[in-house]
Protein backbone atom coordinates (compact mmCIF):
# COMPACT_ATOMS: atom_id res chain seq x y z
CA UNK A 1 0.00 0.00 0.00
CA UNK A 2 1.32 3.47 -0.79
CA UNK A 3 2.23 5.82 2.03
CA UNK A 4 -0.45 8.45 2.51
CA UNK A 5 0.90 11.67 3.97
CA UNK A 6 -1.40 13.90 5.91
CA UNK A 7 -1.14 17.59 6.58
CA UNK A 8 0.11 17.01 10.15
CA UNK A 9 2.57 14.25 9.32
CA UNK A 10 5.73 14.98 11.33
CA UNK A 11 7.75 12.06 9.99
CA UNK A 12 9.62 12.50 6.71
CA UNK A 13 9.62 9.79 4.10
CA UNK A 14 12.84 7.82 4.64
CA UNK A 15 14.76 5.60 2.27
CA UNK A 16 17.86 3.44 2.51
CA UNK A 17 20.31 4.06 -0.32
CA UNK A 18 23.99 3.51 -1.01
CA UNK A 19 26.03 6.62 -1.75
CA UNK A 20 29.68 7.25 -2.49
CA UNK A 21 31.09 8.56 0.83
CA UNK A 22 33.18 11.11 -1.06
CA UNK A 23 30.06 13.00 -2.21
CA UNK A 24 28.70 13.41 1.33
CA UNK A 25 29.10 16.89 2.81
CA UNK A 26 30.69 17.06 6.25
CA UNK A 27 29.26 19.92 8.33
CA UNK A 28 31.56 22.87 8.96
CA UNK A 29 30.72 22.85 12.66
CA UNK A 30 30.66 19.27 13.84
CA UNK A 31 29.27 18.70 17.34
CA UNK A 32 31.99 16.16 18.20
CA UNK A 33 35.75 16.27 17.89
CA UNK A 34 36.99 13.32 15.82
CA UNK A 35 40.65 12.37 16.04
CA UNK A 36 42.69 10.15 13.73
CA UNK A 37 42.85 7.34 16.31
CA UNK A 38 39.04 7.11 16.31
CA UNK A 39 39.00 6.96 12.50
CA UNK A 40 41.59 4.14 12.53
CA UNK A 41 39.48 2.18 15.06
CA UNK A 42 36.39 2.64 12.89
CA UNK A 43 38.29 1.53 9.77
CA UNK A 44 39.31 -1.69 11.59
CA UNK A 45 35.75 -2.19 12.83
CA UNK A 46 34.30 -1.74 9.34
CA UNK A 47 36.91 -4.23 8.05
CA UNK A 48 35.87 -6.79 10.69
CA UNK A 49 32.11 -6.35 10.85
CA UNK A 50 31.19 -4.44 7.70
CA UNK A 51 29.27 -1.21 7.58
CA UNK A 52 26.37 -1.80 9.97
CA UNK A 53 25.17 1.70 10.97
CA UNK A 54 23.70 3.96 8.30
CA UNK A 55 24.88 7.52 7.78
CA UNK A 56 21.94 9.92 8.01
CA UNK A 57 21.92 12.63 5.34
CA UNK A 58 19.47 15.20 4.04
CA UNK A 59 18.36 15.69 0.42
CA UNK A 60 21.49 17.74 -0.34
CA UNK A 61 23.95 15.04 0.91
CA UNK A 62 24.69 17.00 4.10
CA UNK A 63 25.59 14.59 6.89
CA UNK A 64 23.23 14.79 9.86
CA UNK A 65 24.67 11.80 11.74
CA UNK A 66 27.69 9.68 10.93
CA UNK A 67 30.58 12.05 10.21
CA UNK A 68 33.19 9.72 11.72
CA UNK A 69 31.75 6.73 9.86
CA UNK A 70 31.84 8.59 6.55
CA UNK A 71 35.48 9.57 7.10
CA UNK A 72 36.30 5.96 8.02
CA UNK A 73 34.62 4.75 4.81
CA UNK A 74 36.72 7.11 2.68
CA UNK A 75 40.01 5.90 4.22
CA UNK A 76 39.98 2.37 2.70
CA UNK A 77 38.17 3.58 -0.43
CA UNK A 78 34.76 2.01 0.08
CA UNK A 79 32.65 2.62 -3.04
CA UNK A 80 29.39 3.05 -1.16
CA UNK A 81 27.93 3.34 2.31
Amino acid sequence: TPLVRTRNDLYPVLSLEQRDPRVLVIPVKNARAIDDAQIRRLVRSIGSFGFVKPIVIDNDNNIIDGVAASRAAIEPGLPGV
Side-chain angles (χ1 to χ4, degrees):
T1 62
L3 177 65
V4 177
R5 295 189 63 135
T6 63
R7 187 181 68 153
N8 294 322
D9 190 359
L10 298 178
Y11 299 105
V13 175
L14 303 176
S15 64
L16 191 59
E17 302 173 8
Q18 285 223 339
R19 300 274 174 99
D20 183 339
R22 289 168 288 282
V23 302
L24 303 180
V25 180
I26 295 174
V28 175
K29 291 187 175 186
N30 191 21
R32 295 187 177 105
I34 303 166
D35 60 11
D36 291 336
Q38 179 183 3
I39 299 301
R40 287 192 299 275
R41 286 192 302 272
L42 280 169
V43 168
R44 285 194 304 271
S45 176
I46 291 169
S48 297
F49 304 108
F51 211 92
V52 296
K53 181 184 172 225
I55 297 171
V56 181
I57 60 172
D58 65 11
N59 289 333
D60 297 321
N61 287 333
N62 295 304
I63 298 174
I64 297 169
D65 184 32
V67 172
S70 68
R71 285 184 50 196
I74 292 170
E75 188 79 22
L78 292 179
V81 293

